[in-house]
Amino acid sequence: MRGAFNLLLVVLLALNLRPILTSIGPLLEPMRASTGLGYQQAALLTALPVLCMGLMPLLHPWLRRWLSEHGGMLMGLAAIAVACLWRLQLDTVWALIASAVVAGLGVAVVQGMMPGLVNRWFPGRLAATMGLYSAALMSGGGLAAVLGPHISGYFGHWQAGLGIWAVPALLGLLAWAVLRPRQDTPTLANGGGGHWFGNRRAWLLAVYFGLINGGYTSMVAWLPAYHLEHGGTAQGGADLVGLMTLFQVAGALGLPLLLRRFADRRLGLWLALSIQLCGFLGLLLAPTAAMGLWVALIGLGLGSCFSLSLTLTLEHLKTPAEAGSLASFVQGIGFIITGIVPYITGWLRDVSGDFQASWVLLTCTVLAMLLVTARFAPQGYAGAIARPERAAQALS
C-alpha cells in the first residue's frame, strides 16, 4: 500500500510541473491583443520559469540545510497555486511576467527534489518509475495546452485558461500533506552530495540534459504561432501541442520499458535523438506536407530523451542522496540552457521573419548530441564521476 501511495504522489506532483508553460502558447494571440504582449516578452513567459527551474536546484545543497523536503514541497506547490490564482486577474504584461517567475520558482523547488525522491522510493525500478514520472509531467503539460482554449472560451476570457491550473496544484498540496511517508528523509549534510561545479562529468551531463531537451521549450513556446503562420487556428495549434504530448508520454513510458533489460542507456538515447532529428528535418524541409507527423516524431523523441537522460544521471552514483544531489545540479544547469533556447529561437524568428532558422538551430543541436551520447558508456560511470578526493583514494 505504501508503494501505491508513493506512486500516486509521484504522478500528482508531476502533473503540476508543466501547465504554467504549455497553457501560454495556445492563448498567445488573445493575450497579445489584450495586453500588447510582444514575441520577445512572450518568450519570457516560457524562458523565465525554466531559468528558475535551473537556478533553484543549484541552491539545493544550501537550501536543504534549513528547508526540509516536506516544507519545500508545500512551499513549491503553494507558489504554483498562488501564481495561477493571480493569473485569473491579470491584464498587464509585467504582471504576467511576474506570475511566471512565481510559478517557475514553485516548479523549480518541487522538480528539483523529484529525481532524488524517486530514486529513494523506487531504487529497484528506477527506469520504469522515471518513465512514469516523465509521462505524468508531460501529460499535465498536454492537458493544459489542449483544454486551455476551451476553458477560456467557456468563461469568456483568456485568464481562465491560465488560472484554472491552481486546482491540480491545490490537490497536489493536499495529497502531499496527507499521503507522504512520515519517516525521516536523508539530508545532503548527512548523505553526502555537496555541489558538483568542479566535476567535468557533471557539467557534461548538465549541458547534455539541457540541449537534449531544448526542443521541448521551443515547441511549447512557438508551435501554436508556427501553426497560425501556416493557416491554422489557435485551437489547432493547441491540438498539435496535445498531439506532441501524447507521443511524449508514449516515448517516456514505452522506450525505457522496451529497453529495460539493457544497462547501457546510449541505445535508447541514440534512437530517441534520431526520431527527434527526423521530426525537425520534416518541419524544415516539408512543413505543410505532414505537420502532425513531424510534431508526433518530435514528441516521441523528446519524451524518451527526458526520461532516459535523467535515468542516465541517477545511475552514475549508487547512494540516493548523492544521486539526487547530482540530479539537482544537472537539472539546474540543464534547465538554464533549456530556458535560453526558446528565447534564441524566438529571436531567430524575429530577425529572419519565419521559423526556419529556429528549426535549423534545433536540428544542429540534435546532431551534436548524437555524437556526445557515445561518451556515456556505463562501465565508465564510476571513473568519470569520481571527485578528485575519490579518485585519489581509488589509486592509493
Side-chain angles (χ1 to χ4, degrees):
M1 184 61 73
R2 180 68 263 164
F5 283 151
N6 287 350
L7 207 59
L8 177 62
L9 280 174
V10 168
V11 171
L12 289 175
L13 293 172
L15 286 172
N16 284 286
L17 301 182
R18 289 298 176 269
I20 65 161
L21 299 178
T22 58
S23 58
I24 298 293
L27 299 172
L28 186 57
E29 290 311 308
M31 288 165 61
R32 294 183 69 222
S34 173
T35 65
L37 185 73
Y39 275 110
Q40 289 295 297
Q41 292 168 320
L44 291 176
L45 297 180
T46 301
L48 287 177
V50 178
L51 288 173
C52 290
M53 295 177 205
L55 292 172
M56 287 297 289
L58 297 179
L59 301 176
H60 272 193
W62 295 275
L63 289 175
R64 289 281 291 272
R65 293 173 184 172
W66 59 270
L67 182 65
S68 68
E69 181 179 80
H70 176 56
M73 285 293 186
L74 292 178
M75 289 177 60
L77 290 165
I80 297 170
V82 167
C84 291
L85 290 172
W86 186 15
R87 285 178 166 184
L88 288 171
Q89 307 296 324
L90 296 184
D91 57 5
T92 67
V93 170
W94 295 110
L96 264 172
I97 292 172
S99 74
V101 173
V102 173
L105 289 171
V107 169
V109 172
V110 176
Q111 183 170 263
M113 294 181 178
M114 287 301 292
L117 182 147
V118 169
N119 197 28
R120 192 173 72 247
W121 285 355
F122 303 98
R125 293 176 289 164
L126 182 58
T129 311
M130 284 305 302
L132 180 64
Y133 161 67
S134 303
L137 180 148
M138 295 159 190
S139 296
L143 286 172
V146 173
L147 297 180
H150 292 293
I151 293 168
S152 296
Y154 180 81
F155 286 101
H157 55 89
W158 55 264
Q159 289 92 337
L162 304 183
I164 193 68
W165 307 109
V167 175
L170 292 170
L171 288 175
L173 188 69
L174 179 63
W176 176 264
V178 173
L179 298 179
R180 69 181 176 90
R182 293 306 197 268
Q183 71 267 26
D184 292 335
T185 58
T187 64
L188 291 180
N190 295 330
H195 68 76
W196 297 89
F197 288 96
N199 189 284
R200 290 185 180 181
R201 175 51 65 97
W203 276 99
L204 180 62
L205 287 166
V207 173
Y208 184 77
F209 178 84
L211 293 177
I212 202 175
N213 295 296
Y216 174 76
T217 44
S218 289
M219 294 298 287
V220 166
W222 305 125
L223 181 58
Y226 181 64
H227 184 59
L228 283 172
E229 286 186 358
H230 285 82
T233 63
Q235 185 59 56
D239 291 340
L240 277 177
V241 176
L243 176 67
M244 183 180 78
T245 301
L246 285 175
F247 280 87
Q248 279 183 289
V249 171
L253 287 173
L255 200 57
L257 185 64
L258 182 66
L259 302 175
R260 64 188 183 278
R261 298 182 184 276
F262 294 89
D264 192 336
R265 302 296 168 199
R266 292 179 298 175
L267 177 62
L269 287 163
W270 275 322
L271 179 57
L273 284 164
S274 298
I275 294 170
Q276 268 197 66
L277 182 62
C278 291
F280 283 121
L281 285 173
L283 284 184
L284 188 61
L285 301 176
T288 58
M291 191 178 293
L293 174 61
W294 311 139
V295 168
L297 288 172
I298 291 168
L300 187 64
L302 284 169
S304 305
C305 282
F306 184 86
S307 173
L308 288 168
S309 58
L310 272 180
T311 303
L312 172 74
T313 296
L314 291 170
E315 289 178 340
H316 268 70
L317 290 161
K318 299 298 184 184
T319 67
E322 286 196 318
S325 171
L326 176 62
S328 289
F329 176 83
V330 167
Q331 287 189 104
I333 300 298
F335 276 118
I336 291 172
I337 295 169
T338 301
I340 292 170
V341 171
Y343 197 80
I344 295 174
T345 51
W347 173 77
L348 287 172
R349 160 64 181 80
D350 276 350
V351 298
S352 67
D354 60 38
F355 282 102
Q356 293 301 90
S358 304
W359 307 147
V360 168
L361 174 65
L362 295 175
T363 300
C364 292
T365 299
V366 172
L367 283 169
M369 293 306 99
L370 275 166
L371 298 176
V372 173
T373 301
R375 298 284 302 275
F376 299 123
Q379 60 269 27
Y381 289 171
I385 203 62
R387 301 183 182 208
E389 64 271 16
R390 288 192 194 138
Q393 291 171 4
L395 291 172
S396 62

